[in-house]
Amino acid sequence: MGLLLSRNLAFKFFYPLFFSNKKVTKDLFPKQLENVISLVSPRTGRHLQRYDKGCRLVVGCIPYRYKRNETQDKEIEVLVISAQKGHGMQFPKGGWESDESMEQAALRETIEEAGVVGSVESKLGKWYYKSKRQPTVHEGYMFPLLVSKELDNWPEMNTRRRKWITVAEAKEICPYAWMKEALDELVNRQSTKVQPKKMEF
């Protein structure tokens, strides 16, 4: 009960910060608060889980950042995490629960599993996929998350690895077709963004 209470208080405090227009900086995210997050246990159980016509509703994020290079091209790299059970790397995702919005659930899962925070952008789409372990169909939603800070400590740091990789590498190692389609959507969205004009002299 104590852990549940502390988790609810932590996320009620952090959600307004993450969904405001303020950029998350070291000043807004002191080390003491990061340490509180690492002590918060990830949500378990399905008593608050949302379903729609028998489909479990799942949300997640594709954490991304712009590669540091000398050109003006805005190439992105994405953050993948190890699967808790089984093999392969994937994007953070989990159940959407009844006491949170879809965006809040996606951010919570990303903090718990990948230990990054940033700006949750508009939804990439909706996918249906079959569970590997249960005879149920899941309805999955993915969001891009432009990462502004990587936490040194996070709830699942002892059970997951995280790694920044290229889009091509992510398509190669991610075992889920629906996540690859969400990644394609993110790449398409990035390519249609207005690029800064290059100055010619």
Side-chain angles (χ1 to χ4, degrees), residues 20 29-30 44 52 85 107 130 134-135 142 158 183 201:
S20 72
F29 207 96
T44 56
D52 182 30
K85 295 176 183 175
L107 178 61
K130 197 161 186 186
Q134 299 162 353
M142 291 299 280
N158 294 322
L183 180 57
F201 296 98

Side-chain angles (χ1 to χ4, degrees), residues 28-159:
L28 285 173
F29 207 96
K31 196 71 176 173
Q32 292 88 342
L33 294 180
E34 184 177 328
N35 290 336
V36 168
I37 284 185
S38 70
L39 295 173
V40 172
S41 61
R43 288 191 175 197
T44 56
R46 299 221 171 145
H47 59 286
L48 295 175
Q49 176 64 57
R50 291 182 194 244
Y51 289 86
D52 182 30
K53 298 175 185 172
C55 291
R56 181 174 179 238
L57 303 185
V58 172
V59 294
C61 286
I62 299 180
Y64 76 96
R65 69 183 181 189
Y66 294 105
K67 285 175 83 171
R68 298 181 186 95
N69 54 31
E70 303 300 319
T71 71
Q72 289 189 15
D73 296 333
K74 288 201 161 187
E75 227 183 315
I76 65 169
E77 50 189 0
V78 294
L79 185 72
V80 290
I81 58 170
S82 58
Q84 205 167 29
K85 295 176 183 175
H87 303 286
M89 303 288 277
Q90 62 190 38
F91 299 114
K93 57 113 177 94
W96 175 21
E97 300 190 350
S98 59
D99 63 344
E100 57 193 352
S101 71
M102 192 181 285
E103 292 84 359
Q104 286 172 336
L107 178 61
R108 172 181 55 75
E109 289 292 341
T110 304
I111 293 170
E112 288 179 357
E113 296 184 354
V116 291
V117 295
S119 304
V120 177
E121 299 171 349
S122 59
K123 187 169 51 187
L124 291 166
K126 174 171 75 173
W127 290 267
Y128 291 96
Y129 67 98
K130 197 161 186 186
S131 171
K132 285 186 175 178
R133 292 191 296 272
Q134 299 162 353
T136 57
V137 174
H138 292 175
E139 187 176 302
Y141 297 85
M142 291 299 280
F143 295 83
L145 181 127
L146 179 56
V147 173
S148 55
K149 183 167 177 63
E150 290 181 58
L151 307 180
D152 294 327
N153 301 293
W154 70 97
E156 296 188 17
M157 62 184 290
N158 294 322
T159 56

Side-chain angles (χ1 to χ4, degrees), residues 167-184:
V167 168
E169 288 169 331
K171 287 183 183 178
E172 188 73 29
I173 65 173
C174 181
Y176 300 110
W178 71 282
M179 285 189 175
K180 293 179 186 180
E181 288 177 18
L183 180 57
D184 285 337

